Amino acid sequence: MIKLLSHLSYVAITSPDVEGSVKFYEEQVGLTVVDRVDGAVYLRCWGDYYAYSVVVVPGDEPSLDTAAWRTSSPEALEEAAKRVEAAGIQGEWVDVHKIGRAYRFTGPWGHTLTLHWDVTRHDAPGHTASIYPDRPEKRSKIAGAPRQLDHVTIATSDVDAFAAWYNEVLGFRIMAKTLLDEAPISVFSVLTTNEKSHDLGVVLDGSTRAGRINHYAFWVDTREELLIAADVLMENGIPIEYGPSIHGIGEQNFLYYREPSTLRIELNTGGYRNYVPDWEPNTWKPSLGSNNFYRNGAMPMSMTESFPPADGPSATEEGVPDEIKAALLNPYAKHGQG
């Protein structure tokens, strides 16, 4: 199969208080507002090559409106659309702000993806233009501001089936997965369209609410910047949900916190690049440190929450079952490490 997708290009998220979320992204994260169109606000990181990477749109709850991937060519866009429809999903061609023609579809587990080739590249005004030719604009003056968008992690009722569908239909590479120590239950998987450990994560969702998101992530250049960002967040009264630490899968340094809508944001850096075209994904267990490289701490229970909340109008359960939560939250206890 030809390489269809190149990289994650933007995420659009909903917020019940768009202006509150936007203010947070500007003042605490370090993003810049570039456009406002029909209630939607478009923002960018200082190192994004395209016009924007985050869109905040009005909504009753925090959720994922769409995640967008740029294809590897115009031909790849046409082929990707054909493959999605051959798999039984009917999408539509839409016109996207500062992108143009794009193909949008809702996958089997309720997540809406947007695929496109055309883009508008960022053209920095003179006062923000960098002295370095390869940088789209000057580095942000906000300490710990991310260089660019990194990945999105969604929640689904069947981790393995989700990964297999996106691998078979769109060519995402499956890089690794996590099975519980206590039972052969897949609770996490990572997929990528390039050499990163992942630009699409998948976590188990025990609710019946389709199309949920667990978090999305930005990239900073160094571990030191991530630690500075953690310091600045704490100084400004913004609680850190988890981290700083290192993931076993991917080996990225990570830090999780929430924006005002309650949606979870991750900052990460480091990790490895994998160029192996015939990579065979490894299977991890929580006790091996899949989420915590050092195996010295339990993940907080709040990290199992995804968005919109599982107790919304279309849900019948409360998210990840309690026995799975327990195995995820303190996987080291029975191994003498907790």
Side-chain angles (χ1 to χ4, degrees):
M1 180 169 70
I2 65 169
K3 178 175 171 56
L4 296 178
L5 307 184
S6 173
H7 58 272
L8 179 69
S9 58
Y10 75 88
V11 295
I13 55 105
T14 63
S15 172
D17 180 4
V18 170
E19 291 306 319
S21 291
V22 169
K23 181 179 180 182
F24 182 87
Y25 285 122
E26 288 185 292
E27 297 180 359
Q28 305 299 336
V29 184
L31 305 191
T32 302
V33 172
V34 292
D35 268 319
R36 293 175 178 269
V37 181
D38 297 331
V41 183
Y42 296 77
L43 303 102
R44 55 173 286 102
C45 304
W46 65 267
D48 287 326
Y49 295 107
Y50 308 146
Y52 56 85
S53 60
V54 175
V55 187
V56 184
V57 299
D60 293 335
E61 303 171 292
S63 70
L64 177 68
D65 184 62
T66 190
W69 270 263
R70 193 179 185 203
T71 61
S72 61
S73 67
E75 295 77 18
L77 174 59
E78 303 298 327
E79 179 64 19
K82 289 179 183 177
R83 291 181 184 234
V84 168
E85 296 188 356
I89 300 293
Q90 184 62 53
E92 62 177 338
W93 292 98
V94 296
D95 185 69
V96 178
H97 179 62
K98 289 195 172 178
I99 284 176
R101 184 172 181 264
Y103 183 75
R104 184 165 290 166
F105 70 94
T106 300
W109 288 270
H111 303 88
T112 299
L113 270 62
T114 301
L115 309 179
H116 64 98
W117 166 252
D118 293 334
V119 293
T120 297
R121 287 174 170 79
H122 181 62
D123 184 15
H127 68 286
T128 64
S130 174
I131 62 172
Y132 304 108
D134 289 340
R135 286 187 181 176
E137 71 177 38
K138 291 177 181 176
R139 182 180 288 272
S140 172
K141 293 180 180 179
I142 294 179
R147 178 184 282 261
Q148 58 201 31
L149 181 67
D150 189 71
H151 68 263
V152 61
T153 293
I154 60 84
T156 182
S157 60
D158 191 329
V159 170
D160 287 345
F162 181 100
W165 194 91
Y166 281 87
N167 168 254
E168 293 165 6
V169 176
L170 290 174
F172 280 88
R173 293 197 297 154
I174 303 172
M175 305 306 290
K177 72 176 183 178
T178 300
L179 295 182
L180 291 182
D181 288 88
E182 292 78 5
I185 299 173
S186 292
V187 293
F188 183 61
S189 185
V190 287
L191 301 88
T192 190
T193 57
N194 45 61
E195 289 76 35
K196 295 193 300 186
S197 70
H198 67 294
D199 53 11
L200 177 60
V202 191
V203 299
L204 182 64
D205 188 354
S207 81
T208 58
R209 193 162 196 187
R212 299 208 296 161
I213 179 176
N214 184 267
H215 68 270
Y216 76 97
F218 295 108
W219 175 267
V220 295
D221 286 349
T222 66
R223 180 175 180 269
E224 288 70 25
E225 285 183 85
L226 186 143
L227 296 177
I228 289 170
D231 193 354
V232 172
L233 289 168
M234 292 295 290
E235 290 272 32
N236 283 281
I238 299 158
I240 292 173
E241 186 174 16
Y242 188 29
S245 189
I246 301 176
H247 289 311
I249 291 181
E251 299 183 22
Q252 300 100 334
N253 294 264
F254 68 84
L255 165 71
Y256 295 94
Y257 59 99
R258 304 285 188 103
E259 64 118 292
S261 76
T262 73
L263 187 66
R264 181 179 298 108
I265 298 171
E266 181 185 7
L267 288 184
N268 69 13
T269 190
Y272 57 77
R273 294 293 184 262
N274 186 319
Y275 301 89
V276 181
D278 55 351
W279 176 254
E280 293 293 331
N282 290 308
T283 297
W284 288 68
K285 300 290 182 69
S287 62
L288 295 175
S290 56
N291 197 49
N292 182 336
F293 186 86
Y294 298 113
R295 312 182 199 181
N296 64 349
M299 182 178 71
M301 183 176 292
S302 63
M303 288 292 297
T304 64
E305 297 171 5
S306 293
F307 310 91
D311 58 357
S314 63
T316 59
E317 300 176 34
E318 294 185 354
V320 178
D322 288 343
E323 62 271 21
I324 294 180
K325 281 185 180 180
L328 284 170
L329 299 179
N330 194 10
Y332 317 116
K334 71 174 186 175
H335 300 274
Q337 298 171 316

